[in-house]
Amino acid sequence: MEPQIHQQLSENLNHQIQENPTPDPIHQKFPYNFWGTLKENLSFRSKWGELNGAMGDLGTYIPIVLALTLSRNLDLGTTLIFTGIYNIVTGAIYGIPMPVQPMKSIAAVAIANPDFGIPEVMAAGICTAGILFVLGVTQLMQLVYLLIPLSVVRGIQVSQGLKFAMAAVKYITKEQDFAKSKSVGDRPWLGLDGLLLAIVCACFIILVNGAGEDRQNGGGCDLESSGESGAGAGGGDEMERRRGLGSKGFRRGLYSLPSAVMIFLLGVILAFVSGPKEVFKGFKFGPSPIHVINISKESWKQGFIQGTIPQLPLSVLNSVIAVCKLSSDLFPGKDFSATSLSVTVGMMNLVGCWFGAIPTCHGAGGLAGQYKFGGRSGMCVALLGMGKLVIGVVLGSSIVKILDQFPVGVLGVLLLFAGLELAMACRDMNTKAEAFVMLLVTAVTLVGSGASLGFLCGIIAHFLLKLRILDRPQSFPRLWMERNAY
């Protein structure tokens, strides 16, 4: 049995790494057409889609960095500069809207624990990044990717998506104190950050984007085959034909609107209108001074114990494994290895965390959100990165005064659709057994037990379901990695 296991794993690794139709950026061999690849990866797929998609991840990014800035004095200017660079580089490398998101578990510990300061946050980020980097360069992460069943990954994605959606509903319906990470009362119906505004924004996104269909297909409405177009062509009534063409043109114009961009710009305008004195008080131009963070021995210890240990399973599952699965689902032919994603996450934080930039990773939720709003190439995140870089250099940490006045309900709307898009990745669970494992992982993860226990329960359930059919004449390693076998 042991030689069969090694042989099966070796075959799968060779297939993933050597026979990949779209070579993984980490494994590309020189010489190759560097400038041609760069041009392709940073191309515009649609007129407004890439810029609109860039807004799809802000519902997650802004609340976390704002909370850490207000509660733990995170240097927001430095964070914007480094994460902007990360966005540009990952967009150029991968050629899809590969997100750069804060490490959520580390951020949650820092917000909840007053003794977990910036040195501990950076120590946790560096330790997590170091482990991921080692797992990547040794290709152990690729082995983990091959062994984890798709149904377990989908359970992690659904639970993360539903967590985003539930947090979004809380943002929409309750007023928030990000510095203390808690709700402070019901949101009023009227006002510049009222419940009515959030509902109108949500309705606008649904009308423009539908359920998240490809924008190239007219936002989910096949205009060429619609009843209006057919009636105009075959009915012979000139007035009806003109009405049909006019309706089609209106709908095309509506479905092509950059909904996320428009809503974000509305939020910026409302931020200035609602608190002009707070926005401009103490406002300074110029970047924040960049300096190396002094991390004591105790900070390393607490950072690893309280930050790295709970963050590592989430980074492996949601930032590497789930992103690999989701990228191959959303972008056929763009099959990136877990090795490359693990290495890029490691390299980002092994540099930026020393200077006080928030620990970051890739995330399936960010990828789903950016895809939802039209992001289709690396230019989507590169545009976001250039925006962060410019703001970080020109405004520095003063930008926190604007973000603090930004309508939280509007952020909640953007986060809601990103979460729903991620949760809808479960649509390919075609058998009852796959759905059972996926829902088990989702349920255990959502009740507060965390992704680690949910993952463990899913692996055990998957194993037990495989045991039920071991009487078939097939090796267990091959049976384990086959879909729809039970």
Side-chain angles (χ1 to χ4, degrees):
M1 179 65 72
E2 194 68 25
Q4 291 179 337
I5 295 176
H6 290 300
Q7 181 180 1
Q8 179 64 25
L9 296 178
S10 176
E11 291 176 359
N12 280 276
L13 282 170
N14 290 334
H15 176 75
Q16 294 261 345
I17 297 174
Q18 297 177 1
E19 300 180 5
N20 197 331
T22 303
D24 193 296
I26 299 297
H27 294 109
Q28 281 185 333
K29 297 180 180 180
F30 289 92
Y32 71 99
N33 188 359
F34 174 80
W35 294 111
T37 302
L38 186 65
K39 182 179 179 181
E40 173 66 20
N41 287 347
L42 295 180
S43 62
F44 283 94
R45 296 288 187 267
S46 66
K47 186 176 181 180
W48 282 102
E50 308 302 345
L51 180 59
N52 198 49
M55 305 294 108
D57 195 26
L58 295 181
T60 306
Y61 182 84
I62 291 179
I64 294 177
V65 297
L66 181 59
L68 285 177
T69 301
L70 295 176
S71 63
R72 295 293 173 267
N73 295 317
L74 176 76
D75 192 330
L76 182 55
T78 300
T79 289
L80 287 173
I81 290 174
F82 275 95
T83 56
I85 295 172
Y86 300 160
N87 280 130
I88 295 171
V89 172
T90 54
I93 290 176
Y94 292 107
I96 66 171
M98 184 67 70
V100 173
Q101 295 182 315
M103 290 188 178
K104 299 174 186 62
S105 183
I106 294 176
V109 172
I111 294 169
N113 185 357
D115 297 327
F116 199 85
I118 293 301
E120 287 78 13
V121 169
M122 300 308 153
I126 293 170
C127 292
T128 304
I131 295 173
L132 291 175
F133 184 80
V134 171
L135 290 175
V137 296
T138 58
Q139 295 196 20
L140 289 175
M141 186 65 78
Q142 187 70 9
L143 179 62
V144 174
Y145 172 73
L146 292 174
L147 291 175
I148 296 179
L150 181 61
S151 55
V152 175
V153 177
R154 289 291 185 254
I156 298 295
Q157 289 176 316
V158 173
S159 62
Q160 190 68 51
L162 291 179
K163 282 184 178 180
F164 284 167
M166 290 187 290
V169 173
K170 184 175 67 174
Y171 290 169
I172 293 171
T173 59
K174 304 287 185 180
E175 293 190 330
Q176 302 297 312
D177 184 350
F178 283 129
K180 297 181 180 179
S181 187
K182 66 178 184 179
S183 302
V184 293
D186 293 336
R187 187 173 301 284
W189 275 92
L190 302 178
L192 298 179
D193 192 12
L195 185 59
L196 183 60
L197 173 66
I199 293 175
V200 170
C201 290
C203 292
F204 177 69
I205 291 178
I206 294 174
L207 187 62
V208 172
N209 293 85
E213 299 86 347
D214 197 326
R215 294 170 65 90
Q216 294 178 351
N217 292 333
C221 181
D222 189 353
L223 298 173
E224 297 301 326
S225 61
S226 65
E228 294 177 21
S229 180
D237 189 330
E238 183 68 17
M239 184 63 71
E240 289 298 321
R241 187 184 69 84
R242 289 181 179 179
R243 286 179 181 175
L245 291 175
S247 174
K248 182 170 71 174
F250 170 77
R251 288 154 66 191
R252 275 183 175 166
L254 177 65
Y255 300 150
S256 65
L257 289 176
S259 57
V261 174
M262 295 171 69
I263 288 176
F264 181 74
L265 291 178
L266 173 64
V268 172
I269 294 172
L270 293 177
F272 279 98
V273 172
S274 62
K277 293 182 180 180
E278 290 78 3
V279 169
F280 291 105
K281 184 179 180 181
F283 204 85
K284 296 180 181 179
F285 289 98
S288 303
I290 296 179
H291 58 277
V292 178
I293 301 296
N294 183 22
I295 306 176
S296 66
K297 184 178 180 180
E298 183 64 21
S299 295
W300 283 111
K301 177 183 176 181
Q302 296 303 319
F304 181 80
I305 295 174
Q306 298 186 52
T308 297
I309 292 177
Q311 176 64 50
L312 192 59
L314 184 61
S315 292
V316 171
L317 295 172
N318 189 59
S319 303
V320 178
I321 306 299
V323 171
C324 284
K325 300 285 190 183
L326 188 61
S327 63
S328 62
D329 293 339
L330 299 179
F331 302 93
K334 294 279 188 179
D335 299 318
F336 305 116
S337 72
T339 296
S340 66
L341 293 173
S342 188
V343 168
T344 53
V345 171
M347 292 177 66
M348 289 189 302
N349 294 283
L350 288 175
V351 176
C353 287
W354 287 104
F355 301 96
I358 190 173
T360 56
C361 57
H362 305 307
L367 178 58
Q370 286 163 163
Y371 184 89
K372 161 73 179 179
F373 288 108
R376 295 296 183 269
S377 77
M379 180 54 74
C380 170
V381 288
L383 288 171
L384 178 61
M386 287 184 278
K388 290 179 182 178
L389 193 57
V390 170
I391 293 173
V393 171
V394 175
L395 300 180
S397 294
S398 295
I399 188 65
V400 71
K401 298 180 181 299
I402 299 176
L403 297 182
D404 194 29
Q405 299 297 320
F406 197 94
V408 178
V410 173
L411 283 179
V413 171
L414 295 175
L415 181 59
L416 174 64
F417 287 97
L420 293 177
E421 183 71 21
L422 176 59
M424 284 193 289
C426 68
R427 290 176 296 172
D428 61 350
M429 295 290 96
N430 297 320
T431 69
K432 189 171 182 179
E434 286 181 320
F436 171 80
V437 174
M438 177 195 70
L439 292 175
L440 176 64
V441 174
T442 302
V444 174
T445 303
L446 280 179
V447 296
S449 303
S452 301
L453 184 57
F455 167 77
L456 180 61
C457 292
I459 290 293
I460 293 174
H462 180 83
F463 176 77
L464 294 176
L465 289 172
K466 292 294 185 181
L467 285 179
R468 300 180 70 246
I469 54 173
L470 268 182
D471 56 328
R472 297 182 184 180
Q474 193 173 17
S475 67
F476 186 78
R478 183 180 299 274
L479 188 65
W480 175 272
M481 286 179 279
E482 273 190 4
R483 286 196 59 194
N484 302 326
Y486 27 55

